[in-house]
Amino acid sequence: MKKLNSSGEIKPSYEKLEEKVRLLESERQKTNQLIKDYEEESSKYKTLVENAMDAIVIVQGNKIVFANQQALNLYACTSIEQVKDLNFTNFIAEEYRLPMLEKGILRESGADVANKYEFKAIRLDGTEFDAEISVGRVLYHGKYARQAMIRDVSEKKQMMESLVKNEYKFRSLVENIPDVIYSLDQSANVVAVNLPSSDFFGFEEAEILGKPFSVFMHPDDREWIFHSFLEAIETKRQITRNLHFRIIAKDGSVQWVEANTHMQFDENGNYFREEGVIRNITERKQMEEQLIQAKEQAISANKLKSEFLANMSHELRTPLHGILGFAKLGKERKEVLSKEKQHQYFKEIHESGLRLLYLLNDILDLSRLEAGKADYNFEIEKISPLIDIVIGELKVPIKEKRISLFFHRPNFRDTAFMDREKILQVIRNLLSNAIKFCRPNGEINIVYTRKKNELVLSVLDDGMGVPENELETIFDKFVQSSKTKSPAGGTGLGLAICKKIIDDHNGHIWAENNPDTGAKISFSLPQNQPNRF
């Protein structure tokens, strides 16, 4: 039963009062704990904000209410008082203010707007810089505010711009470089290729990708390159190689290339990729070969010159010794010599003089022909009369060696477009050689043939012939066949003179060996070329 006091009110029990006190104390303790937790969190947040790497600004009603030290440094301020209560838009470049305000309004209305973007910021001293901002909502002293994290990205933008420029330069360089850049996979298939403006020897990129690189190589180079590849793999390390090999172009032509390759291996020593650059060096190779040939020709020419001078020394001395020797004998014995002896001496002097004259004429003729100073008088002429003239001139040596000479006269028109005197010289030289190399009691044949618009004249002897490897070189200057050198051989100029004359007639001269024995030298002349010269 409830107790009443003197005024008639119900008196609260002592137990319930104690319970209320306990509840109030518990609430107080919770409140104190919340305050303590809040103070701890605020302290942590403040420490975090103050030590943040980025600038942090809190804005309420567009006015700055807080800025950490990084923000003060970023905006060139010395204290918070310099920026506090200033409008945040003062620190935004004019062209960015309206767009940023619009984004803020949209964000406050709940629209999905990016909270991170770049803009142009202004320092307190008026200088501008590129900035990146991240915006979020926070409670600041019990009121909602905007927290902005700001970062100076000027160096980053400059670096990106530099990278873009460098990438453009590199791409432009790669695209315009005249070399081919390629990459091969573990199976040596082409997985990447950058073709120069001149493409890869006629191939398009689609015709190269995915194919084994070896299919583009010259068959003769594949084996040694494959062995080189295997040898490099066995080293199990990164290796750079410089290779020269041939490529078969799309049109079938052979092109020389220089490849600088770099093979790559993983940490376990397994090959996994090759990259390289290929350059077309066909012209360089051709120049190198030309230089080698020129060097060999120069060495050969120098050797021939030495041999020629040695031969000339002998050829000049022999007739001179004959002339001087018989002249001396005639002078010393003129009182006692009979007319027969005197006649013999004069004959020897005359023959030696002729030999010397022929030699000097050969040298002078060849010099004039090579210098382009020889005069030509081209006409349509018959060759048969020229052969008859030469046979008549050489009757004596033919008779002395008892040679049977057969001139097979043609049954067709034997005219040709030629210089009469020059062709006489060629026929005289060829028939003289045939007589010189023919065996005693031997046989010489002069034969005509005709091929299309050409007349072909051949002189065949039954001498010792010419070695197969010398059939072309005997027409070079100062060269004699190894079988026909002294005593039968001459100066080595006669056939060189013949070749030059026939070349100037737009003809051809060549040597062959007869099936049985002896040599056959032929030359061709155009039968009708009035517009040639």
Side-chain angles (χ1 to χ4, degrees):
M1 178 173 290
K2 294 181 180 179
K3 294 180 180 181
L4 300 175
N5 58 16
S6 59
S7 60
E9 296 175 344
I10 299 174
K11 295 172 59 177
S13 66
Y14 179 76
E15 291 82 3
K16 289 185 177 181
L17 184 61
E18 285 182 341
E19 181 65 24
K20 287 182 178 181
V21 170
R22 283 196 299 272
L23 289 173
L24 288 172
E25 180 63 25
S26 175
E27 290 296 327
R28 186 185 66 78
Q29 288 177 358
K30 287 180 180 179
T31 301
N32 289 338
Q33 185 62 44
L34 287 172
I35 293 170
K36 183 179 179 181
D37 291 344
Y38 174 77
E39 288 176 347
E40 288 179 357
E41 289 298 324
S42 296
S43 177
K44 290 178 181 179
Y45 177 77
K46 184 178 180 181
T47 301
L48 180 64
V49 168
E50 289 293 344
N51 294 288
M53 297 293 292
D54 294 327
I56 298 176
V57 175
I58 296 177
V59 179
Q60 282 181 332
N62 287 333
K63 290 188 177 181
I64 298 173
V65 294
F66 173 82
N68 68 352
Q69 188 59 47
Q70 288 292 348
L72 298 178
N73 295 339
L74 185 64
Y75 286 102
C77 303
T78 56
S79 66
I80 184 64
E81 285 73 21
Q82 288 181 284
V83 296
K84 198 169 184 181
D85 296 330
L86 290 178
N87 197 314
F88 184 64
T89 57
N90 293 343
F91 297 93
I92 302 173
E94 187 172 352
E95 66 268 25
Y96 287 89
R97 288 175 187 172
L98 184 58
M100 289 183 69
L101 285 173
E102 290 176 347
K103 288 180 181 179
I105 294 170
L106 290 171
R107 191 180 302 106
E108 292 293 334
S109 68
D112 186 14
V113 179
N115 63 346
K116 186 175 182 179
Y117 43 88
E118 292 184 0
F119 69 105
K120 195 74 104 175
I122 304 175
R123 296 186 179 90
L124 199 62
D125 59 9
T127 58
E128 293 185 353
F129 64 94
D130 292 305
E132 181 183 78
I133 188 170
S134 289
V135 182
R137 291 184 70 188
V138 295
L139 276 173
Y140 186 75
H141 293 302
K143 297 181 180 180
Y144 281 110
R146 282 173 291 164
Q147 176 181 279
M149 299 181 68
I150 305 164
R151 179 177 298 176
D152 186 346
V153 294
S154 300
E155 290 187 6
K156 176 184 173 183
K157 288 202 72 172
Q158 290 173 359
M159 187 179 298
M160 289 299 295
E161 289 174 0
S162 177
L163 285 173
V164 170
K165 289 179 181 178
N166 288 337
E167 182 184 1
Y168 174 78
K169 289 179 181 178
F170 177 75
R171 186 178 297 276
S172 178
L173 176 65
V174 168
E175 289 177 352
N176 292 286
I177 193 171
D179 302 331
V180 176
I181 302 172
Y182 71 92
S183 181
L184 308 181
D185 62 12
Q186 290 177 315
S187 302
N189 295 323
V190 182
V191 292
V193 63
N194 181 77
L195 299 182
S197 56
S198 58
D199 69 28
F200 182 67
F201 308 109
F203 294 102
E204 300 294 336
E205 184 175 343
E207 298 176 292
I208 302 170
L209 291 177
K211 292 186 178 179
F213 189 71
S214 59
V215 302
F216 303 102
M217 294 179 185
H218 192 283
D220 294 343
D221 292 333
R222 289 174 189 164
E223 185 174 353
W224 72 263
I225 290 178
F226 178 69
H227 286 301
S228 172
F229 178 78
L230 292 180
E231 184 179 352
I233 289 179
E234 289 176 0
T235 63
K236 295 187 181 300
R237 60 184 176 82
Q238 291 188 344
I239 184 168
T240 299
R241 300 180 298 163
N242 182 273
L243 306 173
H244 287 194
F245 56 92
R246 289 162 291 179
I247 290 286
I248 304 296
K250 190 173 181 178
D251 62 5
S253 63
V254 177
Q255 305 287 326
W256 275 97
V257 299
E258 178 182 48
N260 288 300
T261 70
H262 183 70
M263 300 179 67
Q264 297 185 19
F265 299 80
D266 61 23
E267 62 275 7
N268 298 319
N270 298 315
Y271 163 78
F272 70 93
R273 182 171 58 196
E274 176 179 318
E275 295 173 338
V277 178
I278 290 177
R279 173 170 295 176
N280 191 333
I281 59 168
T282 304
E283 289 186 6
R284 192 174 89 190
K285 277 285 186 181
Q286 290 172 347
M287 290 179 64
E288 289 174 357
E289 290 175 3
Q290 289 171 1
L291 286 172
I292 291 171
Q293 290 175 2
K295 181 180 178 182
E296 291 175 350
Q297 288 173 359
I299 293 172
S300 177
N302 189 55
K303 181 181 177 182
L304 291 174
K305 177 184 173 183
S306 299
E307 292 177 355
F308 169 71
L309 290 174
N311 193 41
M312 286 301 97
S313 175
H314 170 74
E315 293 294 332
L316 288 170
R317 282 193 180 111
T318 300
L320 281 174
H321 282 316
I323 293 169
L324 293 175
F326 284 106
K328 182 180 179 182
L329 285 174
K331 182 181 177 181
E332 291 175 350
R333 302 178 183 179
K334 64 180 179 179
E335 300 297 335
V336 295
L337 283 176
S338 64
K339 287 184 179 182
E340 289 77 11
K341 278 291 183 183
Q342 288 180 14
H343 178 74
Q344 181 183 348
Y345 286 178
F346 282 125
K347 181 183 176 184
E348 294 290 344
I349 292 171
H350 180 258
E351 289 179 353
S352 295
L354 286 176
R355 286 183 61 191
L356 185 58
L357 178 62
Y358 293 151
L359 174 61
L360 294 174
N361 281 339
D362 279 350
I363 295 172
L364 293 173
D365 284 347
L366 185 59
S367 298
R368 281 195 299 269
L369 288 166
E370 289 193 330
K373 293 183 179 180
D375 294 326
Y376 284 92
N377 181 25
F378 288 94
E379 299 287 347
I380 298 294
E381 298 275 357
K382 285 178 65 72
I383 293 186
S384 298
L386 305 186
I387 297 172
D388 290 333
I389 291 172
V390 174
I391 292 174
E393 291 176 350
L394 299 175
K395 272 185 179 179
V396 173
I398 292 171
K399 185 177 180 180
E400 287 178 349
K401 292 189 74 171
R402 299 182 300 280
I403 294 171
S404 299
L405 190 147
F406 300 96
F407 176 23
H408 303 268
R409 295 182 182 275
N411 57 1
F412 51 82
R413 183 173 62 91
D414 66 334
T415 57
F417 190 66
M418 62 183 174
D419 180 295
R420 183 177 185 277
E421 294 302 320
K422 295 293 191 300
I423 297 303
L424 261 175
Q425 187 176 356
V426 172
I427 297 170
R428 186 181 296 116
N429 199 308
L430 297 187
L431 190 53
S432 296
N433 278 350
I435 294 169
K436 187 186 300 182
F437 303 134
C438 192
R439 304 173 189 275
N441 300 309
E443 181 178 302
I444 294 175
N445 286 273
I446 301 173
V447 180
Y448 275 119
T449 56
R450 184 169 60 183
K451 293 193 298 185
K452 294 183 179 179
N453 193 37
E454 286 187 331
L455 184 66
V456 179
L457 180 67
S458 302
V459 179
L460 299 82
D461 64 61
D462 62 353
M464 59 195 75
V466 181
E468 290 295 324
N469 62 340
E470 297 177 8
L471 288 172
E472 292 185 11
T473 59
I474 59 171
F475 294 100
D476 293 341
K477 291 178 293 185
F478 319 130
V479 174
Q480 301 174 57
S481 170
S482 58
K483 286 188 177 182
T484 58
K485 289 184 179 179
S486 57
T491 64
L493 293 176
L495 290 179
I497 292 171
C498 292
K499 184 178 187 306
K500 180 61 179 166
I501 291 173
I502 297 302
D503 287 346
D504 288 346
H505 278 72
N506 199 29
H508 182 53
I509 187 168
W510 67 97
E512 302 171 86
N513 281 312
N514 295 325
D516 297 326
T517 183
K520 173 185 177 182
I521 299 182
S522 307
F523 68 87
S524 65
L525 291 174
Q527 286 199 282
N528 186 19
Q529 274 194 333
N531 298 320
R532 169 63 174 81
F533 299 92

